[in-house]
Structures are given as structure tokens and as C-alpha cells.
Amino acid sequence: MAEEKPNCKVILANNIAKKLLEEVHDGLKKVDRKPLLVGFLSSQDPAARVYAEWTGKTANENGFAFELREIDRELLEDALIDANNDAKVDGIIVYYPIFGNRQDQYLQQIVSIDKDVEGLSHQYIFNMYQNIRFLDDANTKKSILPCTPLAVIKILEYLQIYNSILPYGNRLHGRTITVINRSEVVGRPLAALLANDGACVHSVDISDVQTFTRGEGLRKRRHEVEEKPGWTIKDCLPISDVVISGVPGDTYKVPLEHMRAGAVCINFSSERNFTPEVKEKASIYVPAIGKVTIVVLLRNLLRMVQNKIDAAEDAAQKADKSQ
């Protein structure tokens, strides 16, 4: 008798990235030049170099210009200020970690808000946590979101975990999601974004569990965080429709014995946080998201270029009216 195959559908990031790239290509048609993204590499981290090369390759293949600048970390601050002031530079990405401490956070704040394709500037982070989706009162300029959390959201939209029947901003209402990792770069922003879209999110870190929600019936405008004393991942997995894991290091594995059958599983770590047995239990499994992250980066860059074009047109119209 033939062995039954698992019913899990494995979705590769490449397929999701293709759909987003079509959007990017359509937007590029409205721009009369190649937008220039400048990457700054100031660390010896091999993963940072791989990411930099991958960014350049994807950018060049898709109608963008990319320039990698390898700068001594002590000179990076001045180099970023120069790039901010260079009208030819449309977007800036810095490959972290550099110093691996608060100095990295300081460098994130140097990059001009108009060129910060990673969405790490204070204004963008503030808007994200406060559930403010636009930069202007007229709601024409969308705020930029950090690339990896936004890539996860785009994957969840592609998988139709977002319910398009519900109003925009509430489309995860009724979903329970576990996010394993509460880093300031990905895990905590992702939990906040998902909760702001209506999900009940259990954020699991090495020492505790927190729950992010917008309250009963989504009555709150933005998410709130509740400590869950005594809770562990064993309490979260059996009640979660979606499990998203991004623990760095090759030793961590999600304890599948506690996961509910039919859960959707997404891995955003550079290591595999799920063992191959995940396919026996999950309904959908996304083993990596890197290709989606880079397309989201290009999408953010394009949005900045479009904002610049719109601002120039507005200024020209105002000048005409004043004459």
C-alpha cells in the first residue's frame, strides 16, 4: 500500500515575491529614472554581506540602481549624513549589526526619514506602535513599515489569513497568532502590527509570554500588551491558528507536539526553527521569507520616490497659483 503523503502545502517565498514584484514594476513605469538605493556595509558579519549582495542583485534585476559602499564603522556617521544630503540618493539601507549596542540605534536615527527604506526612524516606529498609518493629515503619504515584519504581513495576505470581507485595519479579527522572538527589530514590531490589524498575538520570548490585542471586540484604536505570568509556549501553541518563528541560532526548534493540527507555520529565522515533521501537522508551511523581504524593501524605496515626485508636483502647483 502506498504511503500517504502529508496534506501540508509548502509555499516558497519566491512565488509570493513574484506577485509583489508585479506591483513594483507597475509603479516603476511612472518614474522616469532608475531609483538609486545605497547600501552601507561596515561590519564583518558574513550574513550582512550575503544580504547586501542579494539586495543588489534583486535591485539591478528589477529596474533599480544599487550601490554598495563599504565604510569603516568609525566613518559611517559622516557617510550617512553625506548620503542624506545627496539628491541623487533615493534610499539608504545600513547592514546591521555594526557596533552591536546602542550606537546602532543612534545610527538608525541619522538616516533621513525621506530615505529610510527600512522604516527604522523614530517617526516610523512611533507610527507603527501607535497604529498611525499615514505621515500626513490628508492621508496621502503612507508611513513606511520595517521590511521583515511587513514581509510577514504580505505573506499572511497572500495566504488569505487576512479576511478581506472585514474592513481594512480589522482583517485579522478572530485570528490567534503566536510569534516566537521579541526582538526590537522584528519580533515585537510584528506582534504589534498583527495586533493592530485585529489579531490576538501571543509574543513568546526566552523568559516570558506577553499578549498583544486591541481588546474585546477591537474597541481600542491601538494594541495593548498584557503580561501572562506562568505562561509558556506550551500554553500558546494549542490555541494558535498561525505560528511565526524567528529565533536566531540552529539549536532552537518549535515544539510541534504542542501545536494544533492545521496551523499555518512561517519561519523568518535564517535557521530552520521547524523540523521537517512540521509538514505532518501544519496545513501551510513557509520555510523562509528572505526573497519577500527584499521585494518589500524595493516597494518601500519606490514609495519614497513617489512621495518625492508628489511633493515636487504639489510645490510646482502652489508656485503656479501664487503667480
Side-chain angles (χ1 to χ4, degrees):
M1 191 172 133
E3 198 178 318
E4 285 186 28
K5 286 187 177 173
N7 281 318
C8 176
K9 194 165 180 60
V10 177
I11 307 277
L12 300 178
N14 209 24
N15 296 335
I16 306 166
K18 273 180 194 162
K19 192 166 181 292
L20 284 170
L21 268 177
E22 286 171 18
E23 244 183 76
V24 170
H25 291 157
D26 285 346
L28 262 183
K29 288 172 189 166
K30 299 171 189 144
V31 180
D32 59 2
R33 61 189 173 78
K34 281 188 175 185
L36 172 61
L37 175 63
V38 174
F40 286 93
L41 187 61
S42 297
S43 80
Q44 300 304 311
D45 183 28
R49 182 171 292 279
V50 169
Y51 186 36
E53 288 169 357
W54 206 9
T55 314
K57 184 172 182 291
T58 310
N60 289 325
E61 284 173 357
N62 289 287
F64 293 82
F66 179 78
E67 194 179 300
L68 184 62
R69 298 180 184 173
E70 298 195 37
I71 306 279
D72 182 279
R73 66 184 193 171
E74 299 300 340
L75 304 174
L76 180 58
E77 185 175 345
D78 287 343
L80 290 174
I81 293 166
D82 288 345
N84 283 343
N85 295 327
D86 184 346
K88 294 191 295 294
V89 176
D90 295 299
I92 295 170
I93 176 170
V94 182
Y95 297 99
Y96 296 100
I98 295 162
F99 292 93
N101 55 26
R102 284 184 69 89
Q103 204 164 339
D104 285 7
Q105 292 173 350
Y106 167 67
L107 290 169
Q108 286 169 6
Q109 300 315 314
I110 289 177
V111 177
S112 162
I113 190 170
D114 298 321
K115 300 188 181 188
D116 175 20
V117 290
E118 294 185 280
L120 299 174
S121 300
H122 172 74
Q123 184 68 58
Y124 292 141
I125 299 292
F126 176 82
N127 284 5
M128 176 184 69
Y129 283 121
Q130 291 291 322
N131 201 14
I132 298 167
R133 298 180 184 230
F134 292 88
L135 289 170
D136 60 335
D137 294 336
N139 289 2
T140 58
K141 283 174 73 174
K142 267 195 166 182
S143 200
I144 298 290
L145 293 172
C147 298
T148 305
L150 182 54
V152 174
I153 284 169
K154 289 295 165 191
I155 288 166
L156 291 173
E157 287 178 351
Y158 178 90
L159 300 177
Q160 298 180 340
I161 305 299
Y162 274 73
N163 184 345
S164 58
I165 292 170
L166 294 174
Y168 177 70
N170 291 349
R171 290 180 172 175
L172 288 178
H173 192 194
R175 298 291 191 190
T176 301
I177 299 174
T178 289
V179 177
I180 308 163
N181 166 313
R182 202 183 305 132
S183 70
E184 291 302 317
V185 183
V186 186
R188 192 162 82 95
L190 178 59
L193 286 167
L194 297 174
N196 284 343
D197 278 341
C200 171
V201 184
H202 301 303
S203 170
V204 177
D205 207 31
I206 198 157
S207 56
D208 64 354
V209 174
Q210 295 176 345
T211 298
F212 290 55
T213 70
R214 273 176 43 214
E216 198 70 38
L218 307 187
R219 288 196 178 90
K220 307 276 172 38
R221 189 189 59 76
R222 59 173 288 259
H223 75 280
E224 291 181 343
V225 181
E226 180 192 351
E227 301 284 344
K228 304 294 279 189
W231 272 48
T232 70
I233 194 165
K234 294 174 187 175
D235 300 286
C236 307
L237 291 181
I239 56 174
S240 293
D241 315 296
V242 181
V243 179
I244 304 167
S245 188
V247 178
D250 57 2
T251 54
Y252 181 79
K253 302 296 173 197
V254 175
L256 299 177
E257 65 273 19
H258 301 293
M259 194 172 81
R260 73 191 287 180
V264 170
C265 297
I266 298 172
N267 179 67
F268 70 80
S269 171
S270 55
E271 307 286 347
R272 293 285 163 96
N273 284 179
F274 294 91
T275 59
E277 288 72 35
V278 68
K279 293 173 202 165
E280 307 290 334
K281 208 161 186 182
S283 58
I284 296 171
Y285 174 46
V286 182
I289 72 161
K291 288 188 175 172
V292 181
T293 304
I294 289 183
V295 176
V296 165
L297 180 80
L298 296 179
R299 195 170 169 269
N300 281 354
L301 174 60
L302 184 60
R303 179 163 284 161
M304 291 184 154
V305 172
Q306 286 167 336
N307 284 347
K308 201 193 290 188
I309 291 167
D310 291 347
E313 286 174 357
D314 287 349
Q317 282 172 359
K318 281 174 187 164
D320 285 347
K321 281 178 187 170
S322 65
Q323 283 172 3

